[in-house]
Each structure stands twice: as C-alpha cells, then as structure tokens.
Amino acid sequence: MRRVYLDHNATTPVREEVLAAMLPYFSERFGNASSVHSFGREARRALEEARETIARAIGAEPSEVLFTGSGTEADNTAIKGVALAQREKGRHIITSKVEHKAVLETCKFLEKQGFRVTYLPVDRTGMVSPESVEEAIEEDTILVSVMHANNEVGTVNPIARIGAICRERGILFHTDAVQSFCKLPIQVREMNIDLASFSAHKIYGPKGVGALFVRRGVRFLPLLHGGEHERNRRAGTENVPGIVGFAKAVELALAEREEECQRLTRLRDRLWEGIRRRIERVHLNGHPTERLPGTLNVSFEGVEGESILLSLDLKGVAASSGSACTSGSLSPSHVLAAMGIPPELAQSAVRFSLGRSNTEEDIDYTVEILPEIVARLRQMSALEV
Ligand SMILES: *Cc1c(COP(=O)(O)O)cnc(C)c1O
C-alpha cells in the first residue's frame, strides 16, 4: 500500500545529509564542548559553527543565539525568562489565543505567579491585528508574544508591524517562529524582533534541539541553572550532534527555500482544488493567501475529523486534526474556536501539512480516496440521527 505522510507540521524525518553530519559527533568527535583539551575544542568548534549558521539565517550575531532542548524550551525560556527578570518593571504580558501550547501554558503558569495576561482575539482567518496589540498595551506591559505562523491553520501574522509597535513603546517582542523558520524569510532586525524560538525537528533536523534568539542587551533569567554553558543562559552540556544536525538542516533548507516553497504551494493548492471539486460542503480554515506553503486545514461538514483520520490511516495516509499535542483529546481546537469556527465545523477539521517527500502522485492518491471516505462517514452519521 502507498504510504503518504501529510503531517509535516507535527514533525519531519531527519534528512540523510543531516544524519551524516551528526554521526561523527556521537562517536569519534564525542568531546564535551566545555573541555579545554583537543576533544573538547573539536566539539566547541562544531558548536560555534552551528551557532553562526543559525545566526546568519536570521540576521543575528552568533552571541545572540542560544541552543535549547526543544522549541518548547525556547518558548518557556523567552517568556518566563523575561517575565522573571523584568517583574519589577511590570506584570502584564500580551499574547494571542492561537499560540502553541508551549506559549499558552507558560502564560497560564505566569498568571498563577501574579502576572496578568491578555489573550488577543484573531479574525476569521486566524490573524492577529497589529491594532489589537496596540490597544492591549498597558502601563506595565513588559512583553508581547505573537507567533509568526500558526501550526494548525498556517496563517502568517504581520510580525514586522507588531514588532514595530512594541519597539516604539519600549516593550519586548517575542515570536514563536518554529513553523515559519526556513519556510518564510525571518530577519530579526528588520522585523523588530527581540526574542524568537526555533526547533530543529520541524525542518528535517533531529528532535530535542531548539534555539532561542535573544537580542543583545535583553535581560532575561535562565530556566536551567548549573554550569556556565551557553554564556550562563542555559546550563547543561550541549547536545553537540543534535546542534550540528540542526545547523545542517538549516543550511540545506535555506538553499532550497524558494524553490521548495513554490513546489509545496502548488501541491497544497492542488490538494485543495481536488477536494473542493470532488467533495461538497467543505471549508478552508485559515488565510487564503497569507499562509504557510505546505499547510491546508479543511472542515468536512457533517463528519468527525478524527473519523476521517482513521479512515485515511487505513489507506496509508497520515494527516492530523489540529496539533499533534492536542490530538487524542476530543476537545475542539483552541485555534479554530478562536477563529470563530462553529464547534461542529471545528470537530470536522483535518490538517494536511505537506513536505519534502510529497509528490503530485501523493496528492492525487489522497484526493482519490477522500470522497469515498467522506461520503461513507456522512452516510453513517445520517443514519445515527
Ligand atoms: C512544534 C512547535 C513547537 C514546539 O517545538 P518542540 O521542539 O516540539 O518542543 C512550538 N511552537 C510551534 C508553533 C510548533 O509548531
């Protein structure tokens, strides 16, 4: 049976070149980057080269990039780190209702610690308006955190304009750029970004490695205490193989970025056109144009998204309903709810996220099997009523 992976926003396979770059750092180049002998220096060199690669990719200085154990850790470090360091300045944080759980749950935690958080609404396409950020700013606002591209629907936020507003008011601006990194251009200076989170496993790097950009001069407290790793900003022996793999993945992705984006946009639109033409009562969730190249979120009226996923899986197609972190729970997506999608339609949503391995044949196969699946499930649910 054909196997089609359409869940690249959840994770991606490690590219062959990435794996090859990592392997020596598990064995012959196993040194601790903090050791002063030649083994350590070898690891240190690889670590600092990787840091330069990531910094260059976003227009930052290497000293402004620290490595973390995940995108989640980068988000936690950015938000808790700034909140704790600047609590005397203010106790108010602004974020949006459609953030990843790594941001939302961190903000909820801070609310329990005495901070106030404003969760901005989004429009029907899932976009945060710069005006709403401006209106939410209070006397003691210390941080704004708005994601670059949404993982469930792919909508891309006007980050540069939000950043400009924050900069003008002297408020720090963090963006979760995990989904947009190496897919959309990110230049931290031009976009007025003070902190940004990244993760390797969404871009064909290994799991368990992330990075956080922190603009020089931004005060924050580390999450982890211990040795003097990462300039005292993140204790713990660096995951050198993972970090080397992350940098390799970035290098490869950037070299192919524009071409791959165009290819994925074409495939994504082919999938939507196929679905729209062959199945009635379907709705596109997310922004029609300001959207990640490979992300397509569709509601199939009258059918549970979860049932579609099970049927697709039996036919070898892997998709998801919203984010991987919330699938399995039957509560409707917080992102679709914030967009004002009625609960029945939110429950019937399926996210297809395309990537490197996908071909036109994959898309055509998916379009071919979907109408029958949806028709059968609609018939069944009609019988239940
Ligand atoms: C995947 C993801 C994260 C979490 O990154 P991990 O490395 O899996 O912890 C955070 N934010 C967004 C938008 C994501 O898609």
Side-chain angles (χ1 to χ4, degrees):
M1 186 174 57
R2 203 182 179 94
R3 288 185 82 207
V4 180
Y5 185 74
L6 298 177
D7 202 11
H8 291 82
N9 287 11
T11 196
T12 58
V14 171
R15 283 178 75 153
E16 248 175 66
E17 307 95 308
V18 169
L19 182 61
M22 291 171 70
L23 282 176
Y25 292 92
F26 285 109
S27 48
E28 67 263 34
R29 299 188 206 155
F30 64 91
N32 184 324
S34 301
S35 303
V36 294
H37 46 60
S38 66
F39 294 86
R41 289 199 307 272
E42 200 168 44
R44 167 64 55 187
R45 206 172 311 124
L47 179 63
E48 296 312 325
E49 267 172 32
R51 200 186 308 281
E52 274 170 37
T53 301
I54 311 267
R56 209 177 314 120
I58 58 173
E61 293 294 323
S63 63
E64 295 175 309
V65 173
L66 64 128
F67 289 108
T68 65
S70 62
T72 298
E73 190 194 317
D75 283 339
N76 271 262
T77 304
I79 297 170
K80 283 184 207 162
V82 164
L84 290 180
Q86 318 231 354
R87 67 194 314 166
E88 300 314 325
K89 252 172 96 180
R91 298 284 176 103
H92 183 237
I93 295 167
I94 298 171
T95 187
S96 85
K97 289 185 174 168
V98 298
E99 298 298 312
H100 190 273
K101 288 268 152 94
V103 167
L104 287 179
E105 292 300 318
T106 302
C107 287
K108 276 194 212 156
F109 168 78
L110 286 174
E111 281 187 283
K112 291 197 195 112
Q113 310 300 316
F115 289 86
R116 301 184 332 281
V117 180
T118 300
Y119 298 90
L120 297 173
V122 293
D123 66 15
R124 187 76 189 196
T125 71
M127 201 178 278
V128 176
S129 85
E131 292 73 29
S132 73
V133 174
E134 187 144 38
E135 282 164 20
I137 292 174
E138 296 181 23
E139 278 285 299
D140 66 337
T141 306
I142 50 172
L143 177 70
V144 171
S145 179
V146 174
M147 73 201 314
H148 191 190
N150 184 269
N151 46 303
E152 289 191 31
V153 296
T155 299
V156 180
N157 281 312
I159 286 308
R161 285 169 59 207
I162 294 172
I165 289 167
C166 295
R167 188 61 56 86
E168 206 172 281
R169 310 292 281 276
I171 296 165
L172 292 175
F173 176 48
H174 166 252
T175 188
D176 176 333
V178 170
Q179 286 294 344
S180 58
F181 191 35
C182 295
K183 299 175 192 163
L184 308 173
I186 301 174
Q187 288 296 313
V188 291
R189 308 267 180 253
E190 285 159 35
M191 297 167 102
N192 299 299
I193 295 167
D194 296 304
L195 304 105
S197 304
F198 309 100
S199 179
H201 78 97
K202 304 287 173 73
I203 55 164
Y204 309 92
K207 292 165 184 62
V209 195
L212 178 66
F213 159 76
V214 185
R215 186 172 57 78
R216 185 183 303 141
V218 169
R219 277 197 310 124
F220 76 102
L221 291 182
L223 216 58
L224 301 182
H225 301 272
E228 295 175 6
H229 312 90
E230 298 297 282
R231 297 168 179 244
N232 275 321
R233 296 174 300 181
R234 200 269 188 183
T237 301
E238 292 89 351
N239 172 4
V240 177
I243 289 167
V244 165
F246 189 5
K248 188 69 186 175
V250 168
E251 208 178 284
L252 293 166
L254 286 185
E256 298 166 1
R257 193 180 67 78
E258 278 182 43
E259 206 178 330
E260 182 63 3
C261 278
Q262 283 173 15
R263 195 184 74 87
L264 289 179
T265 304
R266 269 199 311 275
L267 289 181
R268 176 198 78 184
D269 293 346
R270 185 183 181 93
L271 179 57
W272 171 234
E273 278 306 308
I275 290 173
R276 207 168 59 99
R277 223 176 291 129
R278 304 179 82 181
I279 308 174
E280 285 175 12
R281 295 185 289 138
V282 292
H283 308 267
L284 175 80
N285 300 316
H287 199 282
T289 55
E290 296 300 306
R291 188 149 47 97
L292 283 174
T295 305
L296 176 70
N297 189 307
V298 181
S299 285
F300 298 85
E301 246 182 82
V303 203
E304 291 277 333
E306 292 287 336
S307 312
I308 297 178
L309 293 181
L310 292 174
S311 303
L312 282 173
D313 190 37
L314 288 174
K315 298 268 188 193
V317 177
S320 99
S321 64
S323 85
C325 316
T326 43
S327 59
S329 73
L330 281 176
S331 57
S333 141
H334 69 280
V335 174
L336 297 178
M339 288 162 61
I341 311 275
E344 319 81 70
L345 276 185
Q347 292 281 12
S348 76
V350 174
R351 177 188 72 181
F352 305 94
S353 48
L354 284 53
R356 281 176 47 79
S357 70
N358 296 135
T359 59
E360 270 186 15
E361 288 74 41
D362 288 348
I363 300 306
D364 294 347
Y365 174 68
T366 307
V367 167
E368 201 181 293
I369 63 173
L370 257 174
E372 203 186 300
I373 290 172
V374 173
R376 183 172 46 80
L377 292 171
R378 277 181 178 161
Q379 213 167 18
M380 278 167 59
S381 64
L383 287 176
E384 274 168 26
V385 177

